[in-house]
């Protein structure tokens, strides 16, 4: 099974509309107008810039998506954005359960599960983010924490849905800290995740699902991370804000 790597930018709460458009243009220029055709490139701007980024990226082969959503089509949910609205903007993917959503905004596994299911309902590919905190890793609980996030976050999904989705392993202690999981630690957790999915949903689904790594991915470490057999992509925060750095990450070369 060959899995097409997915390199995704999570711009978080950064960039005005004009800054976002400029970065998207700069990225295109850095990539010579289009991404390499053996990998998928996705940009997740803040909601306010999705429309403008769409105008810049349409027809280029680079995809755009969202960082979050509320799991209803529409309704009285002041301040929220629905999967129907995201699909209408041409978003292909939506990040769900990012650790900043879990820890700053108190999102729990049940809400995250509703979001995963709502994404499928509206034809969006969910990128389910999972990952342990430092204290969990220090206590040797990293697999137990990730397993619980997977079991609860994926509840009710079919093997066919698992096959189509993306899991992002983002150890919380590696996000925005400059600390990266070693390629070996990342591989160990990715293998654990794929093994767990295989036991629950069957080997075919487990071999098809993309498992991205996130947490201080940089031009200097992406090649080694992507060389790991179960690392199928990167979810990049800080380094994705700079077009030159992100372009280098997109052009990773696994040895
Ligand atoms: P950094 O790349 O800034 O560590 O952020 C990772 C992340 O949270 C991507 O979703």
């Amino acid at each position: 099974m060959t899995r097409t790597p997915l390199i995704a930018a999570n711009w978080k709460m950064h960039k005005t509309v004009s800054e976002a458009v400029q970065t998207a243009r700069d990225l295109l220029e850095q990539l010579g107008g289009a991404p390499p055709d053996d990998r998928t490139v996705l940009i997740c701007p803040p909601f306010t810039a999705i429309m403008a980024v769409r105008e810049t990226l349409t027809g280029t082969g680079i995809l755009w998506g969202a960082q979050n959503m509320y799991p209803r089509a529409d309704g009285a949910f002041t301040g929220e954005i629905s999967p129907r609205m995201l699909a209408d903007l041409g978003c292909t993917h939506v990040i769900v359960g990012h650790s900043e959503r879990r820890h700053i905004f108190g999102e729990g596994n049940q809400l995250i599960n509703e979001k995963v299911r709502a994404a499928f309902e509206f034809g969006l590919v969910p990128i389910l983010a999972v990952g342990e905190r430092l204290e969990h890793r220090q206590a040797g609980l990293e697999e137990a924490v990730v397993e619980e996030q997977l079991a609860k976050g994926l509840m009710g999904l079919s093997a066919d849905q698992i096959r189509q989705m993306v899991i992002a392993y983002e150890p919380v202690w590696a996000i925005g800290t400059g600390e990266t999981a070693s390629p070996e630690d990342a591989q160990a957790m990715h293998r654990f995740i794929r093994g767990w999915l295989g036991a629950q949903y069957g080997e075919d689904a487990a071999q098809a699902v993309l498992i991205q790594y996130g947490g201080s991915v940089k031009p200097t470490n992406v090649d080694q991370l992507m060389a790991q057999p179960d690392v199928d992509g990167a979810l990049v925060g800080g380094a994705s804000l700079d077009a030159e750095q992100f372009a280098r990450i997109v052009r990773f070369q696994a040895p």
Side-chain angles (χ1 to χ4, degrees):
M1 161 75 60
T2 44
R3 296 180 291 268
T4 304
L6 172 62
I7 306 296
N10 174 8
W11 283 352
K12 307 192 179 183
M13 197 174 73
H14 293 282
K15 297 190 188 291
T16 62
V17 171
S18 58
E19 290 163 353
V21 167
Q22 191 58 51
T23 308
R25 284 193 186 135
D26 291 347
L27 176 64
L28 275 170
E29 193 183 314
Q30 291 279 336
L31 294 175
D37 54 16
D38 60 349
R39 54 204 70 182
T40 307
V41 179
L42 170 73
I43 308 290
C44 299
F47 292 128
T48 45
I50 293 177
M51 186 67 186
V53 165
R54 164 199 175 137
E55 279 164 20
T56 309
L57 296 182
T58 295
T60 65
I62 299 180
L63 307 176
W64 56 95
Q67 302 169 16
N68 180 36
M69 63 174 197
Y70 193 72
R72 297 287 186 280
D74 39 42
F77 301 103
T78 300
E80 294 296 322
I81 300 288
S82 84
R84 185 164 161 263
M85 295 166 181
L86 298 179
D88 182 49
L89 286 173
C91 290
T92 53
H93 294 67
V94 58
I95 302 168
V96 163
H98 190 277
S99 69
E100 286 146 22
R101 302 297 320 171
R102 292 176 190 265
H103 299 131
I104 303 174
F105 302 102
E107 289 190 12
N109 286 315
Q110 189 185 332
L111 176 62
I112 291 166
N113 177 244
E114 286 179 41
K115 293 184 181 197
V116 172
R117 296 206 229 182
F120 277 116
E121 227 175 285
F122 288 88
L124 299 164
V125 176
I127 300 176
L128 173 64
V130 298
E132 81 285 358
R133 290 174 184 252
L134 185 59
E135 63 263 32
H136 296 135
R137 180 159 282 264
Q138 285 169 338
L141 292 173
E142 65 273 17
E143 289 185 353
V145 168
V146 168
E147 179 174 353
E148 183 181 9
Q149 291 170 340
L150 290 172
K152 294 186 173 166
L154 300 175
M155 212 173 280
L157 297 193
S158 66
D160 197 46
Q161 287 173 318
I162 298 295
R163 156 195 298 278
Q164 296 168 47
M165 71 177 292
V166 181
I167 306 289
Y169 170 55
E170 300 205 310
V172 179
W173 47 271
I175 296 178
T177 59
E179 291 279 327
T180 319
S182 69
E184 294 74 25
D185 282 345
Q187 167 58 21
M189 182 59 88
H190 284 227
R191 183 185 295 266
F192 170 77
I193 292 170
R194 202 178 304 285
W196 187 88
L197 292 171
Q200 306 294 318
Y201 299 95
E203 202 45 34
D204 279 5
Q207 288 304 320
V209 67
L210 292 180
I211 309 177
Q212 293 181 301
Y213 171 79
S216 298
V217 176
K218 307 279 179 223
T220 47
N221 58 26
V222 66
D223 295 346
Q224 284 174 301
L225 287 161
M226 291 304 299
Q228 305 303 314
D230 288 293
V231 176
D232 306 319
L235 184 53
V236 187
S240 76
L241 298 173
D242 179 82
E244 197 176 336
Q245 283 192 48
F246 188 61
R248 170 63 186 86
I249 291 170
V250 166
R251 287 195 306 261
F252 75 85
Q253 286 187 325

